[in-house]
Each structure stands twice: as structure tokens, then as C-alpha cells.
Amino acid sequence: MTDDRINLLGLPRADLESFVASRLGAKPFRARQLMKWVYRRGVAEFAAMTDLAKEFRAALAGVAKVVVPQIVSEQRSADGTRKWMLRMDEVQGIETVYIPEPDRGTLCISSQVGCAMDCSFCATAQQGFNRNLSVAEIVGQVWLAHRELDACAAAGPTAPAAGGRITNIVLMGMGEPLANYRNVVPAMRVFMDDLGYDLSRRRVTLSTSGLVPQIYKLAEECNVALAVSLHAPNDELRNELVPINRIHPIAELLTACWHYIDKQNGRSVTFEYVMLDGINDKPEHARALARLLRGRPAKLNLIPFNVFPGTRYRRSPPATIVRFRDILNDNGVIATIRRTRGDDIDAACGQLAGKVTDRTLVRLGTRHGSVAPPSVEVG
Ligand code: SAH
């Protein structure tokens, strides 16, 4: 028998309200009660939702369910970072990372099984691309992390990483979030809903390799912090590192970024810049970057390159990274160096690989000799 019950996990509030009205003849407050149970209390079984009438719970169970992802494995770093591999189907897995800091807890979530952007310095790219995650699979990562962190807190202060709490969510795990726009945007609405995870728009960050049309669309539809993987100050170099640049070059990308900030009354775009030894880390690169970003609502985040098996790149030496930052700061651009976290468990930026059955026939990058645009889905 096929199970056609709808998975409520990740349904934005308005959709959940119309679902309970149309399928169960229930008032909107029932949807609000459900959201509190699922997100605040982390309860997935209707039977345990004790302030809902018994008959309502029974009717609900006939048409709906709350399906959460399963954990395949968990790793913990010496620095408190935790990485979960979540089961997507028989063979595939995606990764989610929790990064505790004294003043915040950041959850880094994935948006796709693999990635089709083919950036030459990223481990996820090497896996290829299989599919987009559903809204439930995106929100499910936060649901699970909450449950795991709560379980830890309940185990008492001697438990490792006790008291962990998610204060920030970043879409910086596996995948290109703007290539899965139609599922990513509803998921972000749940993160910001006060009956969902109740995060302010500054605490939800979407990071993109530069899908320009979707940046314009996002500017109209969803107010979150924007991060952009820049990695090079000129098109020649960026074409090589981030192949989507051949379709949407730097000038076009930056125009979209400034539009985003204007439209949303935002503070600034965070530009990510991976520090690759001898490739993009010279003083002239820093000066060229400063010329691009000076006087703009921009911040630069320098990411020391994280190695992974098979990569041809190396991390810039610490002194090079510091000098690069200083040149930017001296030229009027705010630049900070991202502290590497969780690299002992391959949980650092660009190290998430999961388990992906590649379904791409053409890749963006030179390694596969193609510049065809990826199959990008716009919601
Ligand atoms: N596809 C999105 C989301 C991934 S975010 C994007 O490109 O923005 C992950 C960040 O880590 C991106 O800035 C990415 O460029 C960077 N990154 C990828 N591989 C890396 C590596 N090996 N070392 C350090 N940073 C890396």
C-alpha cells in the first residue's frame, strides 16, 4: 500500500494552516500548536502531543506524518564540533555540522546530495551531484541537531558539548542552496518563524557560489543574510576556481549583491575567500579585491584552505593570510580570518563529502571539459 500521508516537517506556517483547514476542517491555531510540538519540543509522534484532542490526533495520523532523517554516524572533534552523517536513501548520505563557540552555536546544513557547481578546491564537488534535498530533509537536519544537543544537555554538565544550542544556521554544507531555491526558501521561513526555530534574519545565512538570477529573486522573496563565495579578484582566476563565473562574471555578481543589500536594507554581504597557497593569496590579489569592495556594504571572510584527499591545492601559510588581511584592512575593507573548526573529523569548510552517487553527465569545470550551465531549478 502506498503511503500518501503528507510529511509536515518543514511546511511553512501558512501551508500548515491551510492543510489542517482543508484536510481536517481545523482552525489555524491547531497548526500553531503542531508547530510548537514539532520544532520547540522536538516531538515527531502525534500520540505524544497531549494538548491536541484525541480525535484530532487520530485524524491527523491518517493524513499526515512527521518524518525525520536518520543518523548514520556521528563524529566529535576535539574542539567540540560535531558532525552527523544523515541517511538520505539506501546508499546516499549528507552531512550536517554543529560548531559551538562561547557566544553562539552554529549549525551548518546541506541543501543538496553532492553539488554540481564543480569548484576545483571543494571536496563536495569531487563527489558529483545526485539530487536536491526536500524541504523536510533540509529542516530535518535542524530538527535532529536540536534533539541531539538536547539529549546532551540532559545528560548533565559532564557530557561533552553540554548546553549546546543552535543560535545561527548557515547554508554552507554540501550543495549550492540557490540551485535548490524552491526547497531552500520554505525551509528558511521555518528557521525564522517564531513557532519554528525563531531565528532573526541576521542569524540565517545563505552562502552561494554566485547564481545571479536567484540572488535577484531572493532579494524579493526572503530576507536572510547573504554570503558569496568570491575566491578571486578577477574573472580569469575565478573562472578556474568557481566555474559558474563563466556564466555570471564578477561584475554581474557584485551588482546583484549590492542590489540585494539595497532591496533588503541589509548591512553587508560576507564574501568568502579561500586562501590557496600561491594561487590567489598574493598582495596584488588583496589590492585588487580592495578596489572591488572598498566603499561597498561588504565584509571579507578569509578561509584557510582545508585539504582533502586528492586535492592539488595547499593552504596559504599563516603569515601570508595575516598579510593579506592587513592589506585589505589598510585599504578600507573589513577582513577577518575564519578559524578552522572540526578539521580533525573532516567537518571544516569544503571537507563535507557525504555519500553521493554522481548523476551528472557534464560538469561545469575544466576538469570535465565543459562550460554547460548546471541544471538549476528556480522555484
Ligand atoms: N555552494 C555554496 C555553499 C557552500 S559554503 C557556496 O559555494 O557558497 C562552503 C564554503 O566553503 C564556500 O565558501 C566554499 O567555497 C568554501 N570551501 C569549499 N572548499 C573549501 C576548502 N577545501 N577549504 C576551505 N573552504 C572551502
Side-chain angles (χ1 to χ4, degrees):
M1 215 180 72
T2 57
D3 180 0
D4 55 4
R5 288 175 301 161
I6 182 167
N7 186 2
L8 299 186
L9 191 67
L11 272 197
R13 192 195 296 209
D15 296 355
L16 191 58
E17 285 176 352
S18 53
F19 176 80
V20 297
S22 65
R23 295 298 297 272
L24 301 161
K27 295 250 159 48
F29 82 92
R30 290 291 179 206
R32 296 199 286 275
Q33 281 180 309
L34 269 169
M35 287 185 79
K36 277 191 202 159
W37 278 108
V38 173
Y39 304 115
R40 291 228 184 119
R41 302 188 186 119
V43 170
E45 299 80 30
F46 299 133
M49 301 179 180
T50 44
D51 64 355
L52 298 177
K54 265 217 168 92
E55 307 78 65
F56 180 71
R57 279 185 262 161
L60 198 55
V63 293
K65 56 190 173 180
V66 177
V67 185
V68 299
Q70 291 165 12
I71 299 175
V72 178
S73 60
E74 176 184 348
Q75 286 172 279
R76 290 189 192 203
S77 161
D79 69 15
T81 300
R82 297 170 71 174
K83 179 172 84 167
W84 296 281
M85 162 97 82
L86 304 181
R87 182 179 192 273
M88 291 294 118
D89 58 38
E90 286 66 31
V91 278
Q92 312 206 72
I94 53 125
E95 296 185 321
T96 304
V97 179
Y98 175 72
I99 307 144
E101 284 171 274
D103 58 338
R104 67 167 101 179
T106 303
L107 192 71
C108 176
I109 62 171
S110 295
S111 56
Q112 299 182 311
V113 182
C115 188
M117 306 316 290
D118 212 14
C119 299
S120 58
F121 53 88
C122 180
T124 306
Q126 296 214 328
Q127 306 284 306
F129 171 75
N130 187 277
R131 67 172 174 87
N132 283 330
L133 296 185
S134 66
V135 187
E137 289 166 334
I138 299 169
V139 175
Q141 297 171 60
V142 183
W143 192 94
L144 264 184
H146 254 284
R147 189 189 69 187
E148 294 302 301
L149 293 169
D150 274 357
C152 230
T158 51
R165 214 165 59 84
I166 299 167
T167 62
N168 296 63
I169 296 177
V170 296
L171 284 107
M172 294 188 185
M174 297 167 70
E176 167 50 55
L178 289 184
N180 184 15
Y181 189 99
R182 84 167 71 211
N183 295 330
V184 161
V185 167
M188 294 194 302
R189 292 200 208 289
V190 172
F191 301 158
M192 294 186 287
D193 193 310
D194 55 0
L195 295 177
Y197 292 107
D198 197 18
L199 298 180
S200 83
R201 65 188 179 99
R202 297 194 200 290
R203 292 177 177 273
V204 176
T205 303
L206 181 145
S207 178
T208 179
S209 56
L211 271 60
V212 167
Q214 287 87 339
I215 294 176
Y216 282 102
K217 199 166 154 60
L218 194 70
E220 299 299 321
E221 294 176 357
C222 192
N223 203 334
V224 293
L226 183 66
V228 170
S229 295
L230 191 56
H231 306 316
N234 61 66
D235 285 325
E236 194 188 354
L237 185 53
R238 193 162 189 271
N239 284 347
E240 197 184 300
L241 300 176
V242 186
I244 190 73
N245 195 70
R246 298 172 202 170
I247 297 161
H248 302 297
I250 293 175
E252 203 188 303
L253 174 60
L254 294 183
T255 304
C257 291
W258 313 144
H259 170 83
Y260 188 86
I261 293 299
D262 266 359
K263 187 80 200 172
Q264 301 213 335
N265 236 333
R267 284 185 190 157
S268 56
V269 174
T270 301
F271 291 95
E272 294 152 290
Y273 195 97
V274 63
M275 297 297 294
L276 303 168
D277 187 22
I279 305 280
N280 65 353
D281 63 349
K282 305 206 171 85
E284 64 257 33
H285 293 126
R287 286 191 289 269
L289 264 182
R291 284 194 294 276
L292 284 180
L293 303 180
R294 190 179 11 225
R296 299 291 191 172
K299 280 192 291 203
L300 256 173
N301 201 206
L302 306 176
I303 315 176
F305 173 65
N306 295 306
V307 291
F308 54 88
T311 180
R312 61 181 186 274
Y313 296 113
R314 284 162 302 150
R315 177 184 292 187
S316 307
T320 306
I321 302 180
V322 168
R323 186 171 59 154
F324 199 90
R325 179 199 61 195
D326 292 345
I327 295 174
L328 283 157
N329 288 341
D330 292 346
N331 284 277
V333 175
I334 301 166
T336 51
I337 301 170
R338 188 179 290 179
R339 197 151 69 88
T340 298
R341 300 290 304 267
D343 54 341
D344 55 338
I345 55 166
D346 289 341
C349 304
Q351 290 185 318
L352 302 188
K355 274 196 198 156
V356 179
T357 312
D358 189 15
R359 294 200 304 124
T360 51
L361 297 174
V362 284
R363 296 275 192 94
L364 280 174
T366 42
R367 286 175 296 143
H368 300 268
S370 166
V371 292
S375 53
V376 164
E377 210 185 290
V378 184

